[in-house]
Amino acid sequence: MQFVLGVVSHASVVKMLEQHLEDMYATSPPESVHALDLNELKQDDIRFWTLWEADRLCGCGAIKRLSPEHGELKSMRVANYYRQRGIGERLLHHLQADAAQNGMTRLSLETGSMGFFLPARRLYQKFGFAECAPFGRYQNDPNSVFMTKRL
């Protein structure tokens, strides 16, 4: 398996991100969906990573720089075929290492409070993320759970 930086426009990535947005809008009210679209993932303050097995996309994730020391995890997604195979852990480990290598000392995230998001929350807790108050431009929202971790 190989990590690749910045491949947002590949057809497999576009399809995965479209499915990600569809799931977010299917499980959360529109005002509580904070997923980034393709154009937002191409911004200079975003490091977007994909994980591939040969030519098959396994998953993706991004880090949005909020300040020189603080990043936000965005667009974490594992392909359906690769779920329950440790890909989420592999992605999260890589994203944390990348953030630290780029001078960040803290990573935060927003995820949903609904049952659909429970596996993601468990993964983040396993990696030492703890619930926190809203950060950045987020507001309190009963549909959101905010988490953070010092690197």
Side-chain angles (χ1 to χ4, degrees):
M1 290 189 175
Q2 179 181 3
F3 283 98
V4 178
L5 179 63
V7 183
V8 178
S9 298
H10 187 283
S12 296
V13 175
V14 170
K15 183 177 179 182
M16 178 179 283
L17 292 170
E18 286 172 348
Q19 290 171 341
H20 181 65
L21 284 170
E22 287 171 10
D23 282 349
M24 298 306 99
Y25 282 101
T27 56
S28 301
E31 66 275 9
S32 297
V33 174
H34 304 288
L36 301 178
D37 66 24
L38 291 172
N39 288 328
E40 292 170 310
L41 287 168
K42 295 176 185 176
Q43 300 300 312
D44 291 339
D45 61 346
I46 302 279
R47 290 180 60 82
F48 180 77
W49 288 95
T50 50
L51 179 59
W52 300 83
E53 183 175 57
D55 61 348
R56 196 169 193 179
L57 179 62
C58 304
C60 65
I63 302 167
K64 179 177 182 174
R65 188 177 288 275
L66 302 175
S67 74
E69 302 85 21
H70 189 192
E72 179 183 3
L73 289 176
K74 301 293 291 181
S75 303
M76 283 279 296
R77 181 78 177 196
V78 173
N80 291 339
Y81 177 80
Y82 286 97
R83 292 199 175 159
Q84 302 298 317
R85 296 182 183 202
I87 298 300
E89 291 183 6
R90 198 164 180 173
L91 280 165
L92 190 51
H93 178 75
H94 183 81
L95 291 167
Q96 289 181 111
D98 184 62
Q101 185 176 353
N102 283 282
M104 294 178 210
T105 57
R106 179 178 167 206
L107 274 180
S108 300
L109 62 95
E110 179 277 337
T111 190
S113 62
M114 299 75 142
F116 176 85
F117 299 97
L118 184 58
R121 292 194 308 268
R122 285 184 177 150
L123 174 66
Y124 299 132
Q125 289 170 339
K126 180 178 177 179
F127 272 74
F129 285 83
E131 288 190 28
C132 65
F135 58 91
R137 295 182 179 180
Y138 290 108
Q139 305 278 330
N140 278 322
D141 181 346
N143 299 300
S144 291
V145 173
F146 304 97
M147 303 179 86
T148 195
K149 176 184 178 175
R150 291 259 175 225
L151 299 177

